[in-house]
């Protein structure tokens, strides 16, 4: 769908007309080569001075989308048609953004939608957002072996499902069929849906008291982490969004006002959501690897049926050491002979329900399984199984990264054609490989430590064995 754009030079006028209070700042070109940003324009400003106040009605939130819908029957049509999807902040905001683009594209012809202050603001948003969902096949091939590969594949499938749902839900609405789905210059495409998704993901803030929302002008501030973050966003007692310099920070004219998009976000998440990796990052920080239950596990189907835990685990760096989180791993590592049990029970309304038990005690929440295992004498055995499984999965990912190295070698032969996206993918590969190699080594050390345990020695020496008499588990 055709989009209209406004130059950034007109943003100040838009802000003044809509009651945004700016104190010694403006949006302009930064000195750090990061394009547009929020910069100091007058005399030095010292924290915790408030430099921006955005009226509550300009905050693009779930609540405000529905308020705008009261006076916009076309917006209301779509929100109602997509059902529960419009009850989420992301769903409602994406539809709202799409409606503003539609309204502008059809200006002067059919009167679709109602103009509001945010209709003009959407015109200031960039035509291209460098997120992985817009990468070419060649660029996506470079991500093979990284944790981004699975995340991106899942995201693209999700966007396709959402777009199909939007089509199927609104095709019976006359104006939607005419302007969105009939072949023509204003017909919607999956790329349009990717665009509004990118607008939201790259600009949404977790605003205190409001939740996930887009805040005009605040979202023009660039990211900086740690002590380099110069300002914080918040909500005042009237529900307005405010931006204030951090205590102890003093900025002079020309300095950039920066916010954090999340200091605890790893390299993959930063690239996935914002299209870049911060230059100061020396580690991937964290990554998520998926995990499946082995096919030879007789309880595989039952485990999958009851588990609500994410099927994988998160690796992360804390105090220069590897840590990991994941409730699913414990479900993978125990079985019937250990004390795990499943029962199909009949509810009071006659329905069948699968229940999971640990040694006769019902597990109402899979996240509690670890605490049950910790109380067992065989806790070190369970830990050893978990560490061996984690190490095996990390090794598998490292091998996938190595096998895809040919695409990097081929790219380096054509250095003149390397895009900025290619460079950031290569950096992600390096950071994640470094993190996984450290994880592999630390898991090996932990495995060696656990193998010295008396309980583990007893288990491996004369405990559970397979048919040929050798230990059931191989921890080599």
């Amino acid at each position: 769908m055709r989009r209209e754009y406004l130059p950034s030079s007109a943003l100040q006028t838009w802000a003044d007309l809509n009651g945004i209070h700016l104190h010694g700042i403006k949006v302009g070109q930064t000195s750090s080569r990061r394009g547009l940003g929020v910069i100091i324009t007058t005399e030095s400003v010292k924290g915790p001075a408030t430099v921006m106040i955005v009226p509550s009605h300009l905050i693009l939130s779930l609540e405000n989308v529905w308020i705008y819908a009261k006076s916009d029957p076309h917006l209301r049509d779509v929100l109602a048609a997509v059902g529960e999807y419009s009850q989420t902040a992301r769903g409602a905001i994406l539809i709202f953004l799409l409606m503003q683009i539609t309204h502008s594209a059809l200006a002067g012809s059919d009167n679709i939608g109602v103009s509001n202050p945010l209709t003009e603001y959407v015109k200031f948003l960039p035509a291209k957002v460098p997120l992985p969902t817009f990468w070419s096949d060649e660029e996506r091939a470079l991500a093979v072996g990284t944790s981004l590969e699975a995340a991106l594949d899942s995201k693209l499938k999700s966007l396709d499902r959402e777009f199909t749902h939007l089509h199927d839900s609104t095709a019976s609405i006359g104006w939607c069929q005419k302007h969105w789905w009939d072949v023509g210059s204003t017909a919607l495409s999956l790329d349009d849906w990717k665009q509004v998704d990118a607008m939201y993901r790259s600009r949404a803030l977790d605003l205190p008291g409001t939740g996930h929302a887009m805040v005009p002008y605040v979202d023009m501030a660039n990211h900086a982490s740690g002590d380099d973050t110069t300002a914080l966003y918040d909500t005042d007692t009237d529900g307005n969004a405010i931006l204030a310099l951090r205590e102890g920070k003093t900025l002079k004219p020309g300095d950039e006002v920066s916010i954090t998009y999340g200091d605890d976000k790893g390299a993959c998440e930063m690239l996935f959501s914002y299209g870049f990796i911060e230059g100061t990052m020396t580690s991937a920080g964290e990554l998520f690897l998926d995990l499946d239950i082995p096919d030879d596990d007789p309880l595989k189907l039952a485990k999958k049926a009851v588990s609500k835990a994410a099927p994988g685990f998160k690796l992360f760096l804390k105090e220069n050491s590897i840590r990991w989180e994941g409730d699913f791993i414990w479900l993978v590592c125990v079985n019937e002979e250990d004390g795990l049990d499943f029962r199909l029970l009949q509810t009071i309304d006659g329905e069948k329900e699968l229940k999971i038990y640990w040694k006769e005690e019902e597990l109402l929440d899979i996240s509690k399984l670890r605490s049950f295992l910790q109380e067992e004498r065989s806790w070190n055995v369970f830990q050893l199984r978990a560490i061996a499984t984690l190490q095996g999965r990390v090794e598998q990912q490292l091998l996938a990264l190595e096998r895809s190295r040919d695409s990097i070698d081929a790219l380096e032969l054509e250095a003149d054609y390397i895009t900025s996206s290619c460079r950031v993918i290569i950096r992600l590969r390096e950071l994640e490989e470094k993190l996984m190699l450290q994880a592999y080594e630390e898991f090996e050390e932990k495995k060696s430590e656990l193998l010295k345990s008396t309980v583990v020695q007893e288990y491996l020496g004369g405990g559970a064995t397979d048919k040929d008499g050798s230990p059931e588990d191989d921890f080599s």
Side-chain angles (χ1 to χ4, degrees):
M1 177 174 283
R2 178 180 59 85
R3 276 189 63 192
E4 289 191 357
Y5 299 95
L6 289 173
S8 59
S9 57
L11 188 56
Q12 181 77 45
T13 302
W14 179 86
D16 293 339
L17 289 173
N18 289 285
I20 295 179
H21 297 287
L22 306 174
H23 304 287
I25 61 170
K26 71 172 184 178
V27 168
Q29 291 294 327
T30 65
S31 59
S32 57
R33 297 183 182 179
R34 296 199 291 179
L36 292 177
V38 179
I39 55 177
I40 300 294
T41 60
T42 56
E43 68 278 355
S44 295
V45 182
K46 182 181 294 186
T50 296
V51 294
M52 186 190 310
I53 302 175
V54 180
S56 59
H57 71 275
L58 292 180
I59 298 172
L60 185 47
S61 63
L62 172 61
E63 180 182 2
N64 278 348
V65 167
W66 281 95
I67 290 174
Y68 280 119
K70 291 179 180 179
S71 58
D72 187 339
H74 297 100
L75 172 60
R76 198 162 60 244
D77 284 346
V78 181
L79 292 173
V82 298
E84 292 183 0
Y85 184 70
S86 64
Q87 301 301 318
T88 65
R90 180 178 176 277
I93 292 172
L94 260 62
I95 289 169
F96 180 88
L97 291 171
L98 196 60
M99 286 298 302
Q100 307 319 301
I101 294 171
T102 302
H103 176 77
S104 298
L106 298 176
S109 56
D110 288 8
N111 189 22
I112 300 298
V114 176
S115 182
N116 60 70
L118 294 172
T119 305
E120 298 302 298
Y121 184 74
V122 172
K123 297 177 183 178
F124 290 107
L125 302 184
K128 292 183 179 180
V129 183
L131 298 192
T133 43
F134 296 103
W135 284 352
S136 66
D137 290 342
E138 291 77 15
E139 289 168 334
R140 286 187 62 191
L142 299 179
V144 171
T146 69
S147 62
L148 181 62
E149 178 189 7
L152 179 55
D153 184 61
S154 177
K155 181 64 177 179
L156 290 171
K157 290 177 180 177
S158 175
L159 288 170
D160 187 66
R161 286 194 301 270
E162 289 175 344
F163 187 67
T164 299
H165 175 61
L166 178 67
H167 172 272
D168 294 346
S169 301
T170 61
S172 60
I173 300 174
W175 70 264
C176 290
Q177 180 61 43
K178 177 181 177 181
H179 297 293
W180 280 0
W181 311 122
D182 285 348
V183 177
S185 60
T186 61
L188 276 186
S189 67
L190 178 59
D191 191 64
D192 294 313
W193 189 245
K194 288 182 182 180
Q195 288 285 352
V196 292
D197 166 73
M199 289 178 190
Y200 174 76
R201 278 197 292 135
S202 62
R203 293 177 176 275
L205 307 172
D206 190 3
L207 191 64
T210 299
H212 293 291
M214 291 172 66
V215 185
Y217 225 103
V218 172
D219 62 12
M220 292 290 182
N222 288 316
H223 165 78
S225 61
D227 193 54
D228 290 334
T229 304
T230 59
L232 302 173
Y233 53 84
D234 204 342
T235 309
D236 66 16
T237 55
D238 295 321
N240 304 314
I242 61 172
L243 186 66
L245 296 193
R246 291 175 62 186
E247 186 78 44
K249 293 290 182 183
T250 300
L251 301 183
K252 59 184 183 298
D255 286 347
E256 185 175 357
V257 179
S258 60
I259 60 175
T260 177
Y261 296 173
D263 282 14
D264 57 344
K265 292 178 179 176
C268 178
E269 187 176 357
M270 289 298 292
L271 181 54
F272 180 79
S273 297
Y274 306 107
F276 68 90
I277 297 175
E278 195 171 6
T280 57
M281 291 190 80
T282 57
S283 165
E286 65 177 39
L287 59 87
F288 182 86
L289 295 179
D290 60 347
L291 189 66
D292 198 8
I293 299 170
D295 291 333
D296 60 359
D297 187 336
L299 297 179
K300 179 176 181 176
L301 294 179
K303 288 178 177 181
K304 284 194 166 186
V306 301
S307 178
K308 294 181 181 178
F313 59 95
K314 181 173 76 171
L315 286 176
F316 59 99
L317 202 60
K318 185 175 182 180
E319 297 175 350
N320 296 321
S321 294
I322 295 294
R323 302 286 190 270
W324 65 273
E325 293 177 354
D327 296 324
F328 189 74
I329 185 68
W330 302 111
L331 197 59
V332 174
C333 293
V334 294
N335 236 311
E336 196 170 16
E337 62 270 18
D338 301 308
L340 193 68
D341 189 24
F342 292 89
R343 301 172 191 173
L344 193 60
L345 304 179
Q346 185 168 315
T347 62
I348 56 175
D349 57 2
E351 297 292 326
K352 297 290 186 179
E353 186 176 4
L354 188 63
K355 298 279 190 177
I356 182 171
Y357 292 81
W358 177 257
K359 294 189 174 180
E360 301 301 318
E361 187 166 348
E362 184 179 355
L363 267 174
L364 299 175
D365 187 344
I366 294 299
S367 66
K368 304 297 182 184
L369 179 57
R370 185 180 190 277
S371 60
F372 279 101
L373 298 180
Q374 282 180 297
E375 296 175 2
E376 298 290 329
R377 183 174 182 273
S378 298
W379 169 235
N380 280 347
V381 174
F382 300 141
Q383 285 191 85
L384 184 57
R385 291 179 188 172
I387 294 299
T389 302
L390 293 169
Q391 187 185 43
R393 181 64 185 88
V394 168
E395 181 180 27
Q396 180 186 24
Q397 195 71 18
L398 283 168
L399 288 172
L401 204 59
E402 180 62 30
R403 284 194 297 268
S404 65
R405 196 174 297 278
D406 287 347
S407 58
I408 301 295
D409 294 339
L411 184 67
E412 289 176 346
L413 294 175
E414 301 179 10
D416 292 340
Y417 300 98
I418 297 179
T419 65
S420 57
S421 295
C422 291
R423 293 189 182 92
V424 76
I425 301 168
I426 292 171
R427 184 148 181 261
L428 176 67
R429 291 173 64 94
E430 293 169 348
L431 293 174
E432 290 201 341
E433 182 178 38
K434 178 182 176 182
L435 183 68
M436 287 191 289
L437 285 171
Q438 181 178 346
Y440 187 91
E441 292 174 0
E442 291 192 22
F443 286 150
E444 187 66 27
E445 293 173 3
K446 183 64 176 177
K447 224 167 54 170
S448 299
E449 177 187 324
L450 288 168
L451 283 167
K452 297 175 183 177
S453 162
T454 301
V455 173
V456 171
Q457 289 293 324
E458 291 174 358
Y459 177 78
L460 295 179
T465 59
D466 60 20
K467 293 179 181 179
D468 65 4
S470 60
E472 185 177 277
D473 294 309
D474 178 12
F475 299 113
S476 62

